[in-house]
Amino acid sequence: DAMVIQNPRYQVTQFGKPVTLSCSQTLNHNVMYWYQQKSSQAPKLLFHYYDKDFNNEADTPDNFQSRRPNTSFCFLDIRSPGLGDAAMYLCATSRRGRVSNQPQHFGDGTRLSIL
Amino acid sequence: GQNIDQPTEMTATEGAIVQINCTYQTSGFNGLFWYQQHAGEAPTFLSYNVLDGLEEKGRFSSFLSRSKGYSYLLLKELQMKDSASYLCAVNSGGTASKLTFGTGTRLQVTL
């Protein structure tokens, strides 16, 4: 049962051409995250939503935007992709609760290539 | 600042036991997670520690010492399918987990 679904698995775009990656979840989790993971590097948190509250990481470039129209869906928009934005983009969800032991559940990722 | 260190690569033999270490220095601490990530796939949750001591889950155990900023993941009875990267991640957020990941340890299991 796919619980966090990312589409597409592979995305190719041109330098400077806007691209949108999508994520959906069937877990009804109230927190959704976007990570960027480059080869042999740690996943790096870009931003997260707690319900509709958007939380941007301080070092996330302005080129990266996100939308969450409802609980189930979250989008990552890259306005003008550069060669350095080629990476795996991971979406994750978690339940926010009274304790901090809620694991994040990851989608399979979208591998983005820039031509 | 946040700093999480893990060995880059390890090799072990099928059937053996391997210990993957993680040291961390973070501005907050609200628990430590271990994830497994096969090449080209999503990380999958293995274990969580917030109190000092050992948590056991089948072939996998994880240990935490908060005073030393240290954790390890212990894998027993290694199988070929355990060849993967193992990511240590510290939750420095509140009740919504906000994870800082280490770069991962790539484990190769050989015959």
Side-chain angles (χ1 to χ4, degrees):
Chain A
D1 292 339
M3 294 181 291
V4 182
I5 303 159
Q6 291 188 244
N7 283 307
R9 288 294 307 276
Y10 301 92
Q11 176 73 56
V12 181
T13 192
Q14 292 178 332
F15 182 93
K17 186 174 181 181
V19 65
T20 295
L21 311 182
S22 73
C23 177
S24 63
Q25 55 133 339
T26 59
L27 297 164
N28 204 33
H29 284 169
N30 45 14
V31 193
M32 293 187 79
Y33 308 80
W34 279 104
Y35 289 88
Q36 179 192 64
Q37 186 178 27
K38 296 187 177 180
S39 181
S40 301
Q41 295 186 21
K44 180 180 177 300
L45 182 64
L46 295 173
F47 23 60
H48 75 277
Y49 276 94
Y50 170 41
D51 291 328
K52 286 192 174 293
D53 292 334
F54 177 70
N55 298 271
N56 199 29
E57 292 302 296
D59 57 355
T60 297
D62 292 339
N63 200 23
F64 292 85
Q65 306 283 318
S66 185
R67 295 170 283 134
R68 189 179 185 186
N70 53 51
T71 301
S72 301
F73 286 87
C74 195
F75 299 97
L76 170 62
D77 301 308
I78 309 176
R79 291 191 300 187
S80 182
L83 296 178
D85 297 328
M88 174 77 87
Y89 290 87
L90 295 164
C91 173
T93 72
S94 74
R95 182 180 296 126
R96 180 166 178 163
R98 295 174 61 190
V99 294
S100 60
N101 64 346
Q102 303 297 322
Q104 293 186 15
H105 298 265
F106 285 83
D108 285 336
T110 294
R111 184 168 295 283
L112 179 66
S113 300
I114 315 293
L115 298 180
Chain B
Q2 318 280 62
N3 192 40
I4 299 176
D5 285 319
Q6 305 178 235
T8 305
E9 290 185 358
M10 297 182 74
T11 302
T13 308
E14 190 178 35
I17 299 173
V18 71
Q19 177 174 312
I20 302 174
N21 296 324
C22 171
T23 57
Y24 63 89
Q25 293 172 309
T26 56
S27 55
F29 182 83
N30 227 345
L32 187 145
F33 292 82
W34 283 95
Y35 282 83
Q36 181 191 62
Q37 186 176 26
H38 285 98
E41 296 182 14
T44 55
F45 168 70
L46 290 178
S47 70
Y48 171 79
N49 296 71
V50 69
L51 300 176
D52 291 351
L54 189 68
E55 294 282 341
E56 296 190 77
K57 241 184 183 184
R59 294 191 300 116
F60 296 82
S61 305
S62 57
F63 172 83
L64 176 68
S65 168
R66 288 171 297 171
S67 62
K68 294 181 180 174
Y70 167 70
S71 174
Y72 67 72
L73 179 70
L74 195 70
L75 293 79
K76 302 175 193 171
E77 300 169 18
L78 279 173
Q79 302 174 10
M80 298 298 289
K81 68 178 182 179
D82 297 328
S83 294
S85 284
Y86 291 85
L87 301 167
C88 171
V90 171
N91 179 14
S92 57
T95 51
S97 67
K98 187 176 171 181
L99 298 181
T100 301
F101 282 86
T103 53
T105 298
R106 191 161 45 244
L107 174 66
Q108 181 70 44
V109 179
T110 61
L111 291 171

